Amino acid sequence: MQVSAYSGRSYRRLKLINDMDFLAIFILDNYQPMPCISEKVKSFHHRKLCWTSNGLLVLILTVVISSFNSCNFWTPDKKQTKIAISKSPKATIKDTTRKLIIGLLPFGDFDTNLLNNEKEEIESFYNVRCIRLAYQSLPESAYNSHRERYIADSLLDYLETVRTSTVNYIVGLTNKDISTKKGKYSDWGIFGMGYMPGDVCVVSTYRLSDESTNQTVLQDRLTKTVLHELGHNFGLDHCSIVGCLMEADDYGDKIDTEGKWFCKKCQDKLSLVAKGLYRQGTDQKKSAE
Protein backbone atom coordinates (compact mmCIF):
# COMPACT_ATOMS: atom_id res chain seq x y z
CA MET A 1 0.00 0.00 0.00
CA GLN A 2 1.37 3.41 -0.98
CA VAL A 3 1.43 6.40 1.36
CA SER A 4 -0.99 8.24 -0.91
CA ALA A 5 -3.56 5.54 -0.32
CA TYR A 6 -3.82 6.15 3.42
CA SER A 7 -7.38 6.27 4.66
CA GLY A 8 -8.97 9.59 5.57
CA ARG A 9 -9.00 8.62 9.23
CA SER A 10 -5.33 7.74 9.20
CA TYR A 11 -4.47 10.93 7.31
CA ARG A 12 -6.25 13.11 9.86
CA ARG A 13 -4.35 11.41 12.64
CA LEU A 14 -1.12 11.97 10.78
CA LYS A 15 -1.53 15.74 11.17
CA LEU A 16 -1.53 15.41 14.94
CA ILE A 17 1.54 13.26 15.35
CA ASN A 18 4.98 12.91 13.85
CA ASP A 19 5.97 10.39 11.22
CA MET A 20 7.29 7.68 13.55
CA ASP A 21 4.17 7.65 15.70
CA PHE A 22 2.10 7.51 12.51
CA LEU A 23 3.95 4.41 11.34
CA ALA A 24 3.01 2.59 14.51
CA ILE A 25 -0.65 3.63 14.21
CA PHE A 26 -0.69 2.72 10.53
CA ILE A 27 0.35 -0.82 11.46
CA LEU A 28 -2.43 -1.02 13.98
CA ASP A 29 -5.06 0.52 11.69
CA ASN A 30 -4.21 -1.46 8.55
CA TYR A 31 -2.83 -4.65 9.93
CA GLN A 32 -4.22 -7.86 8.39
CA PRO A 33 -3.58 -11.06 10.31
CA MET A 34 -0.84 -13.10 8.74
CA PRO A 35 -1.87 -16.52 7.60
CA CYS A 36 -0.36 -19.42 9.45
CA ILE A 37 2.86 -20.62 7.97
CA SER A 38 1.43 -24.04 7.40
CA GLU A 39 -1.92 -24.21 5.63
CA LYS A 40 -2.19 -27.72 7.00
CA VAL A 41 -2.69 -26.37 10.54
CA LYS A 42 -6.44 -26.28 10.87
CA SER A 43 -7.09 -26.80 14.54
CA PHE A 44 -8.58 -23.99 16.61
CA HIS A 45 -5.72 -24.29 19.07
CA HIS A 46 -3.10 -23.66 16.37
CA ARG A 47 -5.09 -20.85 14.80
CA LYS A 48 -5.25 -19.16 18.22
CA LEU A 49 -1.51 -19.46 18.66
CA CYS A 50 -0.99 -17.98 15.22
CA TRP A 51 -3.19 -14.94 15.96
CA THR A 52 -1.44 -14.45 19.31
CA SER A 53 1.97 -14.51 17.63
CA ASN A 54 0.80 -11.94 15.10
CA GLY A 55 -0.48 -9.68 17.90
CA LEU A 56 2.78 -9.94 19.79
CA LEU A 57 4.70 -9.06 16.64
CA VAL A 58 2.61 -5.90 16.14
CA LEU A 59 3.05 -4.93 19.81
CA ILE A 60 6.83 -5.40 19.66
CA LEU A 61 7.11 -3.33 16.46
CA THR A 62 5.02 -0.56 18.00
CA VAL A 63 7.13 -0.43 21.19
CA VAL A 64 10.42 -0.44 19.26
CA ILE A 65 9.32 2.33 16.90
CA SER A 66 8.00 4.47 19.74
CA SER A 67 11.25 3.95 21.65
CA PHE A 68 13.30 5.14 18.71
CA ASN A 69 11.08 8.19 18.40
CA SER A 70 11.23 9.13 22.09
CA CYS A 71 15.01 8.77 22.15
CA ASN A 72 15.34 11.12 19.18
CA PHE A 73 17.42 8.62 17.17
CA TRP A 74 15.60 9.86 14.10
CA THR A 75 14.22 13.30 13.44
CA PRO A 76 11.47 14.13 10.94
CA ASP A 77 12.46 16.29 8.02
CA LYS A 78 11.23 19.57 9.45
CA LYS A 79 12.50 23.10 9.08
CA GLN A 80 14.66 23.89 12.09
CA THR A 81 14.08 27.06 14.07
CA LYS A 82 17.17 29.13 14.78
CA ILE A 83 17.38 30.66 18.23
CA ALA A 84 19.40 33.86 18.46
CA ILE A 85 21.32 34.22 21.74
CA SER A 86 22.19 37.82 22.44
CA LYS A 87 25.28 38.74 24.39
CA SER A 88 24.90 40.18 27.85
CA PRO A 89 24.92 43.94 28.05
CA LYS A 90 28.24 45.48 28.88
CA ALA A 91 28.67 45.81 32.58
CA THR A 92 29.43 49.05 34.39
CA ILE A 93 29.09 49.97 38.03
CA LYS A 94 25.66 48.33 37.67
CA ASP A 95 27.32 45.04 38.64
CA THR A 96 27.77 46.09 42.25
CA THR A 97 25.53 44.36 44.77
CA ARG A 98 24.48 47.70 46.24
CA LYS A 99 24.30 51.15 44.75
CA LEU A 100 27.21 53.44 45.43
CA ILE A 101 26.41 56.87 46.80
CA ILE A 102 28.09 59.87 45.23
CA GLY A 103 27.85 63.24 46.92
CA LEU A 104 27.89 66.46 44.90
CA LEU A 105 29.42 69.29 46.90
CA PRO A 106 28.88 72.74 45.34
CA PHE A 107 31.34 75.47 46.27
CA GLY A 108 30.40 79.15 46.50
CA ASP A 109 27.61 80.21 44.17
CA PHE A 110 27.77 77.25 41.80
CA ASP A 111 24.84 77.18 39.35
CA THR A 112 21.93 75.17 40.81
CA ASN A 113 20.65 74.12 37.37
CA LEU A 114 24.05 72.68 36.47
CA LEU A 115 24.15 70.90 39.83
CA ASN A 116 20.76 69.26 39.29
CA ASN A 117 21.69 68.26 35.75
CA GLU A 118 24.90 66.58 36.92
CA LYS A 119 23.00 64.62 39.52
CA GLU A 120 20.76 63.14 36.83
CA GLU A 121 23.64 62.49 34.42
CA ILE A 122 25.76 60.65 36.99
CA GLU A 123 22.87 58.50 38.17
CA SER A 124 21.93 57.59 34.62
CA PHE A 125 25.45 56.86 33.37
CA TYR A 126 26.89 54.91 36.31
CA ASN A 127 23.64 53.64 37.83
CA VAL A 128 24.56 55.01 41.25
CA ARG A 129 22.69 57.09 43.77
CA CYS A 130 23.68 60.74 43.72
CA ILE A 131 22.87 63.23 46.47
CA ARG A 132 23.34 66.96 46.80
CA LEU A 133 25.43 68.12 49.72
CA ALA A 134 25.20 71.55 51.35
CA TYR A 135 26.89 74.50 49.68
CA GLN A 136 30.26 75.36 51.16
CA SER A 137 32.77 78.16 50.76
CA LEU A 138 36.04 77.39 49.03
CA PRO A 139 38.77 76.88 51.63
CA GLU A 140 41.15 79.81 51.89
CA SER A 141 44.03 77.40 52.37
CA ALA A 142 43.62 76.32 48.73
CA TYR A 143 43.76 79.83 47.30
CA ASN A 144 46.74 80.97 45.23
CA SER A 145 46.61 84.74 45.55
CA HIS A 146 49.42 85.26 43.00
CA ARG A 147 47.37 83.75 40.18
CA GLU A 148 43.94 84.20 41.71
CA ARG A 149 43.26 80.50 41.39
CA TYR A 150 42.52 77.61 43.69
CA ILE A 151 45.01 74.75 43.93
CA ALA A 152 43.21 71.56 42.93
CA ASP A 153 45.48 69.36 45.04
CA SER A 154 44.49 71.31 48.16
CA LEU A 155 40.81 71.06 47.23
CA LEU A 156 41.11 67.26 47.02
CA ASP A 157 42.69 67.21 50.47
CA TYR A 158 39.84 69.34 51.78
CA LEU A 159 37.20 67.07 50.25
CA GLU A 160 38.83 64.11 51.96
CA THR A 161 38.35 65.78 55.33
CA VAL A 162 34.65 66.54 54.78
CA ARG A 163 33.69 63.19 53.28
CA THR A 164 31.62 61.16 55.71
CA SER A 165 30.58 57.51 55.80
CA THR A 166 27.21 58.44 54.26
CA VAL A 167 28.79 58.76 50.80
CA ASN A 168 31.31 56.66 48.91
CA TYR A 169 32.61 59.45 46.68
CA ILE A 170 32.52 63.24 46.62
CA VAL A 171 32.60 65.45 43.53
CA GLY A 172 33.46 69.06 44.29
CA LEU A 173 32.00 71.59 41.82
CA THR A 174 33.12 75.18 41.41
CA ASN A 175 33.00 78.02 38.89
CA LYS A 176 36.38 79.34 40.00
CA ASP A 177 39.65 78.65 38.20
CA ILE A 178 41.66 75.69 39.52
CA SER A 179 45.21 74.59 38.76
CA THR A 180 47.93 72.08 39.55
CA LYS A 181 51.60 71.47 38.86
CA LYS A 182 52.26 69.96 35.43
CA GLY A 183 55.76 69.26 34.19
CA LYS A 184 57.76 72.45 34.19
CA TYR A 185 54.64 74.48 34.97
CA SER A 186 54.00 75.10 38.66
CA ASP A 187 50.51 76.47 38.11
CA TRP A 188 48.71 74.81 35.16
CA GLY A 189 45.03 75.65 34.71
CA ILE A 190 42.79 72.58 34.45
CA PHE A 191 39.18 71.42 34.03
CA GLY A 192 39.28 68.93 36.88
CA MET A 193 41.32 66.52 38.96
CA GLY A 194 40.70 63.27 40.80
CA TYR A 195 42.54 60.59 42.72
CA MET A 196 43.12 57.33 40.84
CA PRO A 197 41.89 55.25 42.48
CA GLY A 198 40.26 57.33 45.16
CA ASP A 199 37.06 58.76 46.51
CA VAL A 200 37.24 62.48 45.72
CA CYS A 201 37.52 64.67 42.63
CA VAL A 202 36.97 68.32 41.79
CA VAL A 203 35.73 69.96 38.57
CA SER A 204 35.62 73.61 37.52
CA THR A 205 33.44 75.26 34.86
CA TYR A 206 35.84 78.21 34.58
CA ARG A 207 37.68 76.87 31.50
CA LEU A 208 34.72 74.96 30.07
CA SER A 209 33.00 78.09 28.76
CA ASP A 210 33.46 81.61 27.50
CA GLU A 211 31.09 84.41 26.51
CA SER A 212 30.02 82.57 23.34
CA THR A 213 29.25 79.22 25.05
CA ASN A 214 25.57 78.46 25.53
CA GLN A 215 24.12 76.51 28.47
CA THR A 216 23.64 73.29 26.51
CA VAL A 217 27.29 73.11 25.46
CA LEU A 218 28.43 73.96 28.98
CA GLN A 219 26.29 71.20 30.46
CA ASP A 220 27.67 68.67 28.00
CA ARG A 221 31.28 69.64 28.71
CA LEU A 222 30.75 69.61 32.45
CA THR A 223 29.08 66.19 32.34
CA LYS A 224 31.93 64.65 30.33
CA THR A 225 34.51 66.10 32.71
CA VAL A 226 32.68 64.89 35.83
CA LEU A 227 32.15 61.38 34.41
CA HIS A 228 35.80 61.31 33.34
CA GLU A 229 37.08 62.26 36.82
CA LEU A 230 34.80 59.69 38.44
CA GLY A 231 36.30 57.15 36.04
CA HIS A 232 39.69 57.96 37.59
CA ASN A 233 38.19 57.47 41.05
CA PHE A 234 36.97 54.04 39.95
CA GLY A 235 40.51 53.16 38.84
CA LEU A 236 40.49 53.94 35.11
CA ASP A 237 43.60 55.58 33.66
CA HIS A 238 43.78 57.73 30.53
CA CYS A 239 42.99 55.92 27.29
CA SER A 240 44.50 56.18 23.81
CA ILE A 241 41.26 55.27 22.00
CA VAL A 242 39.88 58.28 20.16
CA GLY A 243 36.44 59.25 21.43
CA CYS A 244 36.58 57.15 24.60
CA LEU A 245 35.41 59.00 27.69
CA MET A 246 38.80 58.34 29.30
CA GLU A 247 40.79 59.75 26.37
CA ALA A 248 43.55 62.09 27.57
CA ASP A 249 42.92 65.77 26.86
CA ASP A 250 45.98 67.72 28.01
CA TYR A 251 45.05 70.94 26.24
CA GLY A 252 41.26 70.83 26.40
CA ASP A 253 40.77 70.66 22.64
CA LYS A 254 39.09 67.22 22.55
CA ILE A 255 36.23 67.70 24.96
CA ASP A 256 33.64 68.43 22.25
CA THR A 257 34.59 65.35 20.20
CA GLU A 258 34.95 63.09 23.21
CA GLY A 259 32.05 60.70 23.63
CA LYS A 260 30.02 59.72 26.66
CA TRP A 261 30.98 56.08 26.33
CA PHE A 262 33.84 53.74 27.22
CA CYS A 263 35.92 51.76 24.76
CA LYS A 264 35.89 47.98 25.25
CA LYS A 265 39.16 47.99 27.19
CA CYS A 266 37.93 50.61 29.68
CA GLN A 267 34.49 48.99 29.86
CA ASP A 268 35.97 45.58 30.66
CA LYS A 269 38.22 47.09 33.31
CA LEU A 270 35.31 48.97 34.86
CA SER A 271 33.33 45.74 34.89
CA LEU A 272 36.07 44.09 36.93
CA VAL A 273 36.18 47.09 39.26
CA ALA A 274 32.44 46.75 39.80
CA LYS A 275 32.84 43.08 40.68
CA GLY A 276 35.74 43.80 43.01
CA LEU A 277 38.17 41.78 40.87
CA TYR A 278 40.43 44.62 39.75
CA ARG A 279 42.58 47.10 41.59
CA GLN A 280 44.53 49.84 39.87
CA GLY A 281 47.31 49.41 42.41
CA THR A 282 48.16 50.30 45.95
CA ASP A 283 49.75 53.63 45.04
CA GLN A 284 47.26 56.43 44.70
CA LYS A 285 47.98 59.16 42.18
CA LYS A 286 46.28 62.27 40.90
CA SER A 287 45.04 62.73 37.38
CA ALA A 288 44.18 66.14 35.97
CA GLU A 289 42.62 67.43 32.75
Side-chain angles (χ1 to χ4, degrees):
M1 183 180 291
Q2 300 297 318
V3 174
S4 58
Y6 286 161
S7 66
R9 179 166 59 89
S10 296
Y11 182 74
R12 285 193 296 274
R13 297 180 69 177
L14 174 62
K15 291 184 176 296
L16 302 177
I17 53 180
N18 63 35
D19 294 344
M20 292 300 290
D21 289 333
F22 172 77
L23 181 57
I25 290 176
F26 170 74
I27 292 174
L28 293 175
D29 286 350
N30 298 277
Y31 174 73
Q32 299 295 330
M34 294 171 57
C36 294
I37 297 175
S38 175
E39 293 294 335
K40 296 180 180 180
V41 180
K42 301 294 184 182
S43 69
F44 173 78
H45 175 69
H46 284 155
R47 287 198 302 272
K48 184 178 180 180
L49 287 177
C50 190
W51 275 85
T52 302
S53 298
N54 291 331
L56 286 175
L57 177 60
V58 171
L59 178 61
I60 292 172
L61 285 174
T62 303
V63 171
V64 171
I65 292 171
S66 298
S67 298
F68 268 76
N69 185 37
S70 62
C71 294
N72 292 321
F73 291 138
W74 179 83
T75 305
D77 185 16
K78 295 180 179 179
K79 185 179 293 185
Q80 299 297 313
T81 302
K82 294 183 179 179
I83 302 176
I85 302 176
S86 60
K87 296 181 179 179
S88 300
K90 293 182 179 179
T92 61
I93 300 300
K94 297 176 183 180
D95 286 329
T96 51
T97 55
R98 62 184 179 85
K99 281 195 174 184
L100 298 175
I101 301 176
I102 296 178
L104 294 180
L105 193 155
F107 285 115
D109 57 348
F110 190 81
D111 191 313
T112 303
N113 292 328
L114 289 176
L115 181 64
N116 293 334
N117 183 71
E118 288 315 299
K119 179 180 182 298
E120 295 177 1
E121 291 281 0
I122 294 171
E123 288 180 334
S124 174
F125 188 81
Y126 282 119
N127 192 38
V128 295
R129 182 186 172 200
C130 199
I131 61 176
R132 288 177 47 178
L133 303 177
Y135 275 80
Q136 294 192 26
S137 299
L138 284 162
E140 293 183 4
S141 59
Y143 188 61
N144 181 352
S145 58
H146 297 290
R147 300 296 299 272
E148 297 184 345
R149 294 173 174 173
Y150 287 85
I151 302 171
D153 308 70
S154 299
L155 291 177
L156 293 183
D157 294 339
Y158 175 78
L159 291 173
E160 287 277 23
T161 64
V162 300
R163 189 181 73 83
T164 65
S165 59
T166 58
V167 296
N168 303 102
Y169 299 86
I170 285 186
V171 180
L173 297 170
T174 180
N175 55 15
K176 302 300 183 182
D177 197 12
I178 61 176
S179 62
T180 189
K181 183 178 180 179
K182 182 179 178 64
K184 64 180 182 179
Y185 301 99
S186 60
D187 194 52
W188 180 268
I190 58 175
F191 296 158
M193 172 184 276
Y195 283 122
M196 184 185 68
D199 45 30
V200 295
C201 62
V202 62
V203 175
S204 168
T205 59
Y206 185 84
R207 296 176 179 274
L208 294 175
S209 64
D210 52 33
E211 295 179 355
S212 63
T213 305
N214 60 45
Q215 190 76 356
T216 302
V217 173
L218 176 58
Q219 285 183 349
D220 183 64
R221 291 175 178 175
L222 178 60
T223 296
K224 290 176 181 178
T225 306
V226 170
L227 297 179
H228 178 103
E229 296 306 327
L230 280 172
H232 286 318
N233 284 169
F234 296 143
L236 300 181
D237 206 340
H238 283 144
C239 180
S240 60
I241 302 299
V242 177
C244 176
L245 183 62
M246 299 310 297
E247 183 182 7
D249 189 8
D250 294 334
Y251 299 98
D253 56 350
K254 299 179 181 179
I255 192 165
D256 290 328
T257 58
E258 185 180 79
K260 281 197 294 186
W261 51 270
F262 290 121
C263 68
K264 186 178 185 306
K265 180 180 178 181
C266 291
Q267 184 68 62
D268 291 345
K269 189 179 293 184
L270 186 63
S271 179
L272 294 178
V273 171
K275 295 175 182 177
L277 302 176
Y278 175 83
R279 292 292 182 272
Q280 182 66 28
T282 56
D283 296 331
Q284 188 182 63
K285 64 179 182 179
K286 299 170 185 176
S287 184
E289 278 70 43

